[in-house]
Coordinates of all heavy atoms in Angstrom, one line a residue:
M90 N 111.0 87.5 110.0 CA 110.7 88.6 109.0 C 109.2 88.3 108.5 O 108.8 87.2 108.4 CB 111.6 88.6 107.8 CG 113.0 88.9 108.1 SD 113.4 90.5 108.6 CE 113.6 91.3 107.0
S91 N 108.5 89.4 108.3 CA 107.2 89.4 107.7 C 107.1 90.5 106.7 O 107.9 91.5 106.7 CB 106.1 89.4 108.7 OG 106.2 90.5 109.5
T92 N 106.1 90.5 105.9 CA 105.9 91.5 104.8 C 104.9 92.5 105.3 O 103.8 92.1 105.7 CB 105.5 90.9 103.5 OG1 106.6 90.0 103.1 CG2 105.3 91.9 102.4
L93 N 105.2 93.7 105.2 CA 104.2 94.8 105.4 C 103.7 95.3 104.1 O 104.6 95.7 103.3 CB 104.8 95.9 106.3 CG 104.0 97.2 106.3 CD1 102.7 97.0 107.1 CD2 104.8 98.3 106.9
T94 N 102.4 95.4 103.9 CA 101.9 96.0 102.7 C 101.1 97.2 103.2 O 100.3 97.1 104.1 CB 101.0 95.1 101.9 OG1 101.8 93.9 101.6 CG2 100.4 95.8 100.7
I95 N 101.3 98.4 102.5 CA 100.7 99.6 103.0 C 99.7 100.1 101.9 O 100.1 100.3 100.7 CB 101.8 100.7 103.2 CG1 102.8 100.3 104.2 CG2 101.1 102.0 103.6 CD1 104.1 101.2 104.2
M96 N 98.5 100.2 102.3 CA 97.4 100.7 101.4 C 97.1 102.1 101.7 O 97.2 102.5 102.9 CB 96.2 99.8 101.5 CG 96.5 98.3 101.2 SD 97.3 98.0 99.6 CE 95.9 98.4 98.5
P97 N 96.7 103.0 100.8 CA 96.4 102.6 99.4 C 97.5 102.6 98.4 O 97.3 102.3 97.2 CB 95.4 103.7 99.0 CG 95.8 104.9 99.8 CD 96.3 104.4 101.1
S98 N 98.8 103.0 98.8 CA 99.9 103.1 97.9 C 100.3 101.7 97.3 O 100.8 101.6 96.2 CB 101.1 103.8 98.6 OG 101.7 102.9 99.5
G99 N 100.1 100.7 98.1 CA 100.6 99.3 97.7 C 102.1 99.1 98.0 O 102.6 98.0 97.6
K100 N 102.7 100.0 98.6 CA 104.2 99.8 98.9 C 104.3 98.7 99.9 O 103.4 98.4 100.7 CB 104.7 101.1 99.6 CG 104.9 102.3 98.6 CD 105.5 103.4 99.4 CE 105.6 104.6 98.4 NZ 106.1 105.8 99.2
S101 N 105.4 98.0 99.8 CA 105.6 96.9 100.8 C 107.1 96.8 101.2 O 107.9 97.4 100.5 CB 105.2 95.5 100.1 OG 106.0 95.2 99.0
A102 N 107.3 96.1 102.3 CA 108.6 96.0 102.8 C 108.7 94.8 103.7 O 107.7 94.3 104.3 CB 109.0 97.2 103.7
E103 N 109.9 94.2 103.8 CA 110.2 93.1 104.7 C 110.6 93.7 106.0 O 111.4 94.6 106.1 CB 111.4 92.2 104.2 CG 111.0 91.5 102.9 CD 109.9 90.5 103.1 OE1 109.9 89.7 104.1 OE2 108.9 90.5 102.3
V104 N 109.9 93.2 107.1 CA 110.1 93.8 108.4 C 110.5 92.8 109.4 O 109.9 91.7 109.5 CB 108.8 94.5 108.8 CG1 108.9 95.2 110.2 CG2 108.3 95.5 107.8
A105 N 111.5 93.1 110.3 CA 111.9 92.2 111.3 C 111.0 92.3 112.5 O 110.4 93.3 112.8 CB 113.3 92.6 111.8
A106 N 110.9 91.2 113.2 CA 110.1 91.1 114.5 C 110.7 92.2 115.5 O 111.9 92.4 115.5 CB 110.2 89.8 115.1
G107 N 109.8 92.9 116.2 CA 110.2 93.9 117.1 C 110.1 95.3 116.6 O 110.2 96.2 117.3
T108 N 110.0 95.4 115.3 CA 109.9 96.7 114.6 C 108.5 97.3 114.8 O 107.6 96.6 114.6 CB 110.3 96.6 113.1 OG1 111.5 96.0 113.0 CG2 110.3 98.0 112.4
T109 N 108.5 98.6 115.1 CA 107.1 99.2 115.2 C 106.6 99.4 113.8 O 107.3 99.6 112.8 CB 107.1 100.6 115.9 OG1 107.9 101.5 115.2 CG2 107.7 100.4 117.3
L110 N 105.2 99.5 113.7 CA 104.6 99.7 112.4 C 105.1 101.1 112.0 O 105.3 101.3 110.8 CB 103.1 99.7 112.6 CG 102.4 98.4 112.8 CD1 100.9 98.5 113.0 CD2 102.7 97.4 111.6
L111 N 105.2 102.1 112.9 CA 105.6 103.4 112.5 C 107.0 103.4 111.8 O 107.2 104.0 110.7 CB 105.6 104.4 113.7 CG 106.1 105.8 113.4 CD1 105.2 106.5 112.4 CD2 106.1 106.6 114.7
A112 N 107.9 102.7 112.4 CA 109.3 102.6 111.9 C 109.3 102.0 110.5 O 110.0 102.4 109.6 CB 110.2 101.9 112.8
A113 N 108.5 100.9 110.4 CA 108.4 100.2 109.1 C 107.8 101.1 108.0 O 108.2 101.0 106.9 CB 107.6 98.9 109.3
I114 N 106.7 101.8 108.4 CA 106.1 102.7 107.4 C 107.0 103.8 106.9 O 107.1 104.0 105.7 CB 104.8 103.3 108.1 CG1 103.7 102.3 108.3 CG2 104.3 104.5 107.2 CD1 102.6 102.7 109.3
L115 N 107.7 104.4 107.8 CA 108.7 105.4 107.5 C 109.8 104.8 106.6 O 110.3 105.5 105.7 CB 109.2 106.1 108.7 CG 108.2 106.9 109.5 CD1 108.8 107.4 110.8 CD2 107.7 108.1 108.7
A116 N 110.3 103.6 107.0 CA 111.4 103.0 106.2 C 111.0 102.6 104.8 O 111.8 102.5 103.9 CB 111.8 101.7 107.0
A117 N 109.7 102.5 104.6 CA 109.1 102.2 103.3 C 108.9 103.5 102.5 O 108.2 103.4 101.4 CB 107.8 101.4 103.4
D118 N 109.4 104.6 103.0 CA 109.2 105.9 102.3 C 107.7 106.3 102.2 O 107.3 106.9 101.2 CB 109.9 105.9 101.0 CG 111.4 106.0 101.1 OD1 111.9 106.6 102.1 OD2 112.1 105.5 100.2
E119 N 106.9 105.9 103.2 CA 105.5 106.3 103.2 C 105.4 107.5 104.1 O 106.1 107.6 105.1 CB 104.7 105.1 103.6 CG 103.2 105.3 103.5 CD 102.7 105.5 102.1 OE1 102.6 104.5 101.4 OE2 102.4 106.6 101.7
T120 N 104.4 108.3 103.8 CA 104.2 109.5 104.7 C 103.1 109.1 105.7 O 102.1 108.6 105.4 CB 103.6 110.7 103.9 OG1 104.6 111.0 102.9 CG2 103.4 111.9 104.7
I121 N 103.5 109.4 107.0 CA 102.5 109.3 108.1 C 102.8 110.3 109.2 O 104.0 110.5 109.5 CB 102.5 107.8 108.7 CG1 101.5 107.7 109.8 CG2 103.9 107.5 109.1 CD1 101.3 106.3 110.3
T122 N 101.8 111.0 109.6 CA 101.9 112.0 110.7 C 102.2 111.2 112.0 O 101.6 110.2 112.3 CB 100.7 112.8 110.8 OG1 100.4 113.4 109.5 CG2 100.9 113.9 111.8
H123 N 103.2 111.8 112.8 CA 103.5 111.2 114.1 C 104.0 112.3 115.0 O 105.2 112.3 115.3 CB 104.5 110.0 113.9 CG 105.7 110.4 113.1 ND1 105.7 110.6 111.8 CD2 107.0 110.5 113.5 CE1 106.9 110.9 111.4 NE2 107.8 110.8 112.4
K124 N 103.1 113.1 115.3 CA 103.5 114.4 116.0 C 104.2 114.2 117.4 O 105.1 115.0 117.7 CB 102.3 115.3 116.2 CG 101.8 115.8 114.9 CD 100.6 116.8 115.1 CE 100.1 117.4 113.8 NZ 99.0 118.2 113.9
C125 N 103.8 113.2 118.1 CA 104.5 113.0 119.5 C 105.7 112.1 119.4 O 106.3 111.8 120.4 CB 103.5 112.5 120.5 SG 103.0 110.8 120.3
E126 N 106.1 111.7 118.2 CA 107.3 110.9 118.0 C 107.2 109.6 118.7 O 108.2 109.1 119.3 CB 108.6 111.7 118.4 CG 108.8 112.9 117.6 CD 109.1 112.7 116.1 OE1 109.6 111.6 115.8 OE2 108.8 113.5 115.3
G127 N 106.0 109.0 118.8 CA 105.9 107.6 119.3 C 105.6 107.5 120.8 O 105.9 106.4 121.3
K128 N 105.1 108.5 121.4 CA 104.8 108.4 122.8 C 103.3 108.1 123.1 O 102.9 108.2 124.3 CB 105.2 109.8 123.5 CG 106.7 110.1 123.4 CD 107.0 111.4 124.0 CE 108.5 111.7 123.9 NZ 109.0 112.0 122.6
A129 N 102.6 107.7 122.1 CA 101.2 107.4 122.3 C 100.3 108.5 122.9 O 99.3 108.3 123.6 CB 101.0 106.1 123.2
A130 N 100.8 109.8 122.6 CA 100.1 110.9 123.2 C 99.3 111.7 122.2 O 98.3 112.4 122.6 CB 101.2 111.9 123.8
C131 N 99.6 111.6 120.9 CA 98.9 112.5 119.9 C 97.8 111.8 119.1 O 96.8 112.4 118.7 CB 99.9 113.1 119.0 SG 100.7 112.0 117.8
G132 N 98.0 110.5 118.8 CA 97.0 109.7 118.1 C 97.1 110.0 116.6 O 96.3 109.4 115.8
T133 N 98.0 110.8 116.1 CA 98.1 111.1 114.7 C 98.6 109.9 113.8 O 98.5 110.0 112.6 CB 99.0 112.3 114.4 OG1 100.3 112.1 114.9 CG2 98.4 113.6 115.0
C134 N 99.2 108.9 114.4 CA 99.7 107.8 113.7 C 98.7 106.6 113.6 O 99.0 105.5 113.3 CB 101.0 107.3 114.3 SG 100.7 106.5 115.9
H135 N 97.4 107.0 113.8 CA 96.3 106.0 113.8 C 96.3 105.3 112.4 O 96.3 106.0 111.3 CB 95.0 106.6 114.1 CG 93.8 105.8 113.8 ND1 92.9 106.1 112.9 CD2 93.5 104.6 114.4 CE1 91.9 105.1 112.9 NE2 92.3 104.2 113.8
I136 N 96.2 104.0 112.3 CA 96.1 103.3 111.1 C 95.1 102.1 111.3 O 94.7 101.9 112.4 CB 97.5 102.7 110.6 CG1 98.1 101.8 111.7 CG2 98.4 103.8 110.3 CD1 97.8 100.4 111.6
Y137 N 94.8 101.5 110.2 CA 93.9 100.3 110.3 C 94.7 99.1 109.9 O 95.4 99.1 108.8 CB 92.7 100.4 109.4 CG 91.8 101.5 109.8 CD1 91.7 102.7 109.1 CD2 91.0 101.4 110.9 CE1 90.9 103.7 109.4 CE2 90.1 102.4 111.3 CZ 90.1 103.6 110.5 OH 89.2 104.6 110.9
V138 N 94.7 98.0 110.7 CA 95.3 96.7 110.3 C 94.2 95.9 109.6 O 93.2 95.5 110.2 CB 95.8 96.0 111.5 CG1 96.4 94.6 111.1 CG2 96.9 96.8 112.2
Q139 N 94.3 95.8 108.3 CA 93.3 95.2 107.4 C 93.5 93.7 107.4 O 92.5 92.9 107.3 CB 93.3 95.7 106.0 CG 93.0 97.2 106.0 CD 91.6 97.6 106.3 OE1 90.8 96.7 106.9 NE2 91.2 98.8 106.1
E140 N 94.7 93.2 107.4 CA 95.0 91.8 107.4 C 96.2 91.5 108.3 O 97.1 92.3 108.4 CB 95.3 91.3 106.0 CG 94.1 91.4 105.0 CD 94.5 91.0 103.6 OE1 95.5 90.4 103.4 OE2 93.7 91.4 102.7
G141 N 96.2 90.3 108.9 CA 97.4 89.9 109.7 C 97.4 90.4 111.1 O 98.5 90.7 111.6
R142 N 96.3 90.6 111.7 CA 96.2 91.2 113.1 C 97.0 90.3 114.1 O 97.6 90.9 115.0 CB 94.8 91.3 113.6 CG 94.1 92.5 112.9 CD 92.7 92.7 113.4 NE 92.3 91.8 114.5 CZ 91.1 91.5 114.8 NH1 90.1 92.0 114.1 NH2 90.8 90.8 115.8
K143 N 97.1 89.1 113.8 CA 97.9 88.2 114.7 C 99.4 88.3 114.5 O 100.2 87.8 115.3 CB 97.5 86.7 114.6 CG 96.1 86.5 115.1 CD 95.7 85.1 115.0 CE 94.2 84.9 115.5 NZ 93.8 83.5 115.4
G144 N 99.8 89.1 113.5 CA 101.2 89.3 113.2 C 101.7 90.6 113.9 O 102.9 90.9 113.8
V145 N 100.9 91.3 114.7 CA 101.3 92.4 115.5 C 101.0 92.3 116.9 O 100.2 91.4 117.3 CB 100.7 93.8 114.9 CG1 101.1 94.0 113.5 CG2 99.2 93.7 115.1
S146 N 101.7 93.0 117.8 CA 101.6 92.9 119.2 C 100.1 93.2 119.7 O 99.4 93.9 119.0 CB 102.5 93.9 119.9 OG 102.2 95.2 119.5
R147 N 99.8 92.7 120.8 CA 98.5 93.0 121.4 C 98.5 94.5 121.8 O 99.5 95.1 122.2 CB 98.3 92.1 122.7 CG 98.2 90.6 122.3 CD 98.0 89.8 123.5 NE 96.8 90.2 124.3 CZ 95.7 89.5 124.4 NH1 95.7 88.3 123.9 NH2 94.6 89.9 125.0
I148 N 97.3 95.0 121.9 CA 97.1 96.4 122.2 C 97.3 96.6 123.7 O 96.8 95.8 124.5 CB 95.7 96.9 121.7 CG1 95.6 98.4 121.8 CG2 94.6 96.2 122.5 CD1 94.5 99.0 121.0
A149 N 98.1 97.6 124.1 CA 98.3 97.9 125.5 C 97.3 98.9 126.0 O 96.7 99.6 125.2 CB 99.7 98.4 125.7
R150 N 97.2 99.0 127.3 CA 96.2 99.9 127.9 C 96.4 101.3 127.5 O 95.4 102.0 127.1 CB 96.3 99.8 129.5 CG 95.2 100.6 130.1 CD 95.3 100.5 131.6 NE 96.6 101.2 132.0 CZ 96.7 101.9 133.1 NH1 95.8 102.0 133.9 NH2 97.8 102.5 133.3
E151 N 97.6 101.8 127.4 CA 97.9 103.2 127.0 C 97.4 103.5 125.6 O 96.8 104.5 125.3 CB 99.3 103.5 127.2 CG 99.7 105.0 126.9 CD 101.2 105.3 127.1 OE1 102.0 104.3 127.0 OE2 101.5 106.4 127.4
E152 N 97.7 102.5 124.7 CA 97.3 102.7 123.3 C 95.8 102.6 123.2 O 95.1 103.4 122.5 CB 97.9 101.6 122.5 CG 97.5 101.6 121.0 CD 98.1 100.5 120.2 OE1 98.8 99.6 120.7 OE2 97.8 100.5 119.0
N153 N 95.2 101.7 124.0 CA 93.7 101.5 124.0 C 93.0 102.8 124.4 O 92.0 103.2 123.8 CB 93.4 100.3 124.9 CG 92.0 99.8 124.6 OD1 91.5 99.7 123.5 ND2 91.4 99.3 125.7
E154 N 93.6 103.4 125.5 CA 93.0 104.6 126.0 C 93.1 105.8 125.0 O 92.2 106.6 124.8 CB 93.6 105.0 127.3 CG 93.2 104.1 128.4 CD 94.0 104.3 129.7 OE1 94.9 105.2 129.7 OE2 93.7 103.6 130.7
R155 N 94.2 105.9 124.3 CA 94.4 107.0 123.3 C 93.5 106.8 122.1 O 92.8 107.7 121.7 CB 95.9 107.0 122.9 CG 96.2 108.0 121.7 CD 95.8 109.4 122.1 NE 96.5 109.8 123.3 CZ 96.1 110.9 124.0 NH1 95.0 111.6 123.7 NH2 96.7 111.2 125.1
L156 N 93.4 105.6 121.6 CA 92.5 105.3 120.5 C 91.0 105.6 120.9 O 90.3 106.1 120.1 CB 92.6 103.8 120.1 CG 93.8 103.5 119.2 CD1 94.0 102.0 119.1 CD2 93.8 104.2 117.9
D157 N 90.7 105.3 122.1 CA 89.3 105.5 122.5 C 89.0 107.0 122.5 O 87.8 107.4 122.2 CB 89.1 104.9 123.9 CG 87.6 104.8 124.3 OD1 86.8 104.6 123.4 OD2 87.3 104.9 125.5
T158 N 89.9 107.8 122.8 CA 89.7 109.3 122.8 C 89.6 109.9 121.5 O 89.0 110.9 121.3 CB 90.7 110.0 123.7 OG1 92.0 109.9 123.0 CG2 90.8 109.6 125.1
I159 N 90.2 109.3 120.5 CA 90.3 109.9 119.1 C 89.4 109.3 118.1 O 88.8 110.0 117.3 CB 91.7 109.9 118.6 CG1 92.3 108.5 118.4 CG2 92.6 110.8 119.4 CD1 93.6 108.5 117.7
V160 N 89.2 108.0 118.2 CA 88.3 107.4 117.1 C 87.3 106.4 117.7 O 86.5 105.8 116.9 CB 89.2 106.6 116.1 CG1 90.0 107.6 115.3 CG2 90.0 105.6 116.6
G161 N 87.4 106.1 119.0 CA 86.6 105.0 119.5 C 87.3 103.7 119.1 O 88.1 103.6 118.2
I162 N 87.1 102.7 119.9 CA 87.8 101.4 119.7 C 87.2 100.6 118.6 O 86.0 100.4 118.6 CB 87.8 100.6 121.0 CG1 88.5 101.3 122.1 CG2 88.4 99.2 120.8 CD1 89.9 101.7 121.9
G163 N 88.0 100.3 117.6 CA 87.6 99.4 116.5 C 88.6 98.3 116.4 O 89.7 98.5 116.8
S164 N 88.2 97.2 116.0 CA 89.0 96.0 116.0 C 90.2 96.2 115.1 O 91.2 95.5 115.3 CB 88.3 94.7 115.6 OG 87.7 94.9 114.3
K165 N 90.2 97.1 114.1 CA 91.3 97.3 113.2 C 92.1 98.4 113.5 O 93.2 98.6 112.9 CB 90.7 97.4 111.7 CG 90.0 96.2 111.2 CD 89.5 96.4 109.8 CE 88.8 95.1 109.3 NZ 88.3 95.3 108.0
S166 N 91.7 99.3 114.4 CA 92.4 100.5 114.8 C 93.7 100.2 115.6 O 93.6 99.4 116.6 CB 91.5 101.5 115.6 OG 90.5 102.0 114.8
R167 N 94.8 100.8 115.2 CA 96.0 100.7 116.0 C 96.8 102.1 115.9 O 96.6 102.8 115.0 CB 96.9 99.6 115.5 CG 96.4 98.2 115.6 CD 96.2 97.8 117.1 NE 97.3 97.9 118.0 CZ 98.1 96.9 118.3 NH1 97.9 95.7 117.8 NH2 99.0 97.1 119.2
L168 N 97.6 102.3 116.9 CA 98.6 103.4 116.8 C 99.9 102.8 116.2 O 100.4 101.9 116.8 CB 98.9 104.0 118.2 CG 97.7 104.8 118.8 CD1 98.1 105.3 120.2 CD2 97.2 105.9 117.9
A169 N 100.3 103.3 115.1 CA 101.5 102.7 114.4 C 102.7 102.7 115.3 O 103.6 101.9 115.2 CB 101.7 103.4 113.1
C170 N 102.8 103.7 116.2 CA 104.0 103.8 117.0 C 104.0 102.8 118.2 O 105.1 102.6 118.8 CB 104.1 105.3 117.6 SG 102.8 105.7 118.8
Q171 N 102.9 102.2 118.5 CA 102.8 101.3 119.6 C 102.7 99.8 119.2 O 103.2 99.0 119.9 CB 101.6 101.6 120.4 CG 101.6 103.0 121.0 CD 102.8 103.3 121.9 OE1 103.0 102.6 122.9 NE2 103.6 104.3 121.5
A172 N 102.2 99.6 118.0 CA 102.1 98.2 117.6 C 103.4 97.7 117.0 O 104.0 98.4 116.2 CB 101.0 98.1 116.5
T173 N 103.9 96.6 117.3 CA 105.1 96.0 116.8 C 104.9 94.7 116.1 O 104.0 94.0 116.4 CB 106.2 95.8 117.9 OG1 105.6 94.8 118.9 CG2 106.5 97.0 118.6
F174 N 105.7 94.4 115.1 CA 105.6 93.2 114.4 C 106.1 92.0 115.2 O 107.1 92.1 115.9 CB 106.5 93.3 113.1 CG 105.9 94.1 112.0 CD1 106.1 95.5 112.0 CD2 105.1 93.6 111.1 CE1 105.6 96.3 111.0 CE2 104.5 94.3 110.1 CZ 104.7 95.7 110.1
L175 N 105.4 90.9 115.1 CA 105.8 89.7 115.8 C 106.6 88.8 114.9 O 107.2 87.9 115.4 CB 104.5 89.0 116.3 CG 103.7 89.8 117.3 CD1 102.4 89.0 117.7 CD2 104.5 90.2 118.6
G176 N 106.5 89.0 113.6 CA 107.2 88.2 112.6 C 106.5 86.9 112.3 O 107.1 86.0 111.7
T177 N 105.3 86.7 112.8 CA 104.5 85.5 112.6 C 103.7 85.4 111.4 O 103.3 84.3 110.9 CB 103.7 85.2 113.8 OG1 102.8 86.3 114.0 CG2 104.5 85.0 115.1
E178 N 103.3 86.5 110.8 CA 102.5 86.5 109.6 C 102.6 87.9 108.9 O 103.0 88.9 109.6 CB 101.1 86.1 109.8 CG 100.3 87.1 110.7 CD 98.8 86.6 110.9 OE1 98.6 85.8 111.8 OE2 98.0 87.0 110.1
D179 N 102.3 87.9 107.6 CA 102.3 89.2 106.9 C 101.2 90.1 107.3 O 100.1 89.6 107.8 CB 102.2 88.9 105.4 CG 103.4 88.1 104.9 OD1 104.5 88.1 105.5 OD2 103.3 87.5 103.8
V180 N 101.4 91.4 107.2 CA 100.5 92.4 107.7 C 100.2 93.4 106.6 O 101.1 93.8 105.9 CB 101.1 93.1 108.9 CG1 100.1 94.2 109.4 CG2 101.4 92.1 110.0
K181 N 98.9 93.7 106.4 CA 98.4 94.7 105.5 C 97.7 95.8 106.3 O 96.8 95.5 107.1 CB 97.5 94.2 104.4 CG 97.0 95.3 103.4 CD 96.0 94.7 102.5 CE 96.6 93.9 101.4 NZ 95.6 93.5 100.3
I182 N 98.2 97.0 106.1 CA 97.6 98.2 106.8 C 97.0 99.2 105.9 O 97.4 99.2 104.7 CB 98.6 98.9 107.8 CG1 99.7 99.5 106.9 CG2 99.2 97.9 108.8 CD1 100.6 100.5 107.7
E183 N 96.2 100.0 106.4 CA 95.6 101.1 105.6 C 95.8 102.4 106.2 O 95.5 102.6 107.4 CB 94.1 100.8 105.3 CG 93.5 101.8 104.4 CD 92.1 101.4 103.9 OE1 91.6 100.4 104.4 OE2 91.6 102.1 103.0
L184 N 96.3 103.4 105.5 CA 96.4 104.8 106.0 C 95.3 105.5 105.4 O 95.1 105.5 104.2 CB 97.7 105.4 105.4 CG 99.0 104.6 105.7 CD1 100.2 105.4 105.1 CD2 99.2 104.4 107.2
L185 N 94.5 106.2 106.3 CA 93.4 107.0 105.8 C 93.5 108.3 106.4 O 93.4 108.5 107.6 CB 92.1 106.3 106.3 CG 91.7 105.0 105.6 CD1 90.5 104.4 106.2 CD2 91.4 105.3 104.1
G186 N 93.6 109.3 105.6 CA 93.5 110.7 106.0 C 94.2 111.1 107.3 O 95.3 111.5 107.3
F187 N 93.5 110.8 108.4 CA 94.0 111.3 109.7 C 95.4 110.7 110.0 O 96.2 111.5 110.5 CB 93.0 110.8 110.7 CG 93.3 111.2 112.1 CD1 93.5 112.5 112.4 CD2 93.4 110.3 113.2 CE1 93.8 113.0 113.7 CE2 93.7 110.7 114.4 CZ 93.9 112.0 114.7
G188 N 95.6 109.5 109.7 CA 96.9 108.9 110.0 C 98.0 109.1 109.0 O 99.2 108.9 109.2
S189 N 97.6 109.5 107.8 CA 98.5 109.5 106.7 C 99.1 110.9 106.4 O 100.0 111.0 105.6 CB 97.8 109.0 105.4 OG 96.8 109.9 105.0
G190 N 98.7 111.9 107.1 CA 99.2 113.2 107.0 C 98.6 113.9 105.7 O 99.1 114.9 105.3
L191 N 97.6 113.3 105.1 CA 97.0 113.9 103.9 C 96.1 115.0 104.3 O 95.5 115.1 105.4 CB 96.2 112.8 103.2 CG 97.0 111.7 102.6 CD1 96.1 110.6 102.0 CD2 98.0 112.2 101.6
Ligands
LIG221 S1 103.1 109.2 117.1 FE1 101.8 110.1 118.6 S2 100.5 108.5 119.1 FE2 101.8 107.6 117.7

């Protein structure tokens, strides 16, 4: 288990290894757009991992390609539907406009 903290709301939740960031965000009653329902096709679940990057899975080629088409590759950018918790450290993410459904 590791702790997910969601900014800017400050909501947090205990998350089991293997859980996607998207599932954890939704379980924490946070709003996030996810139009393709986790198929790495829409990019609307884009979030920033602000702390604990080693606590989530490595970026896969499909996710990398999708991020490159929507925001360009940044070291903090992830698709919440593709990144999973490893359970090795706590993770803080940030939802900003595009990914938060605002
Ligand atoms: S929900 Fe569409 S890319 Fe994540």
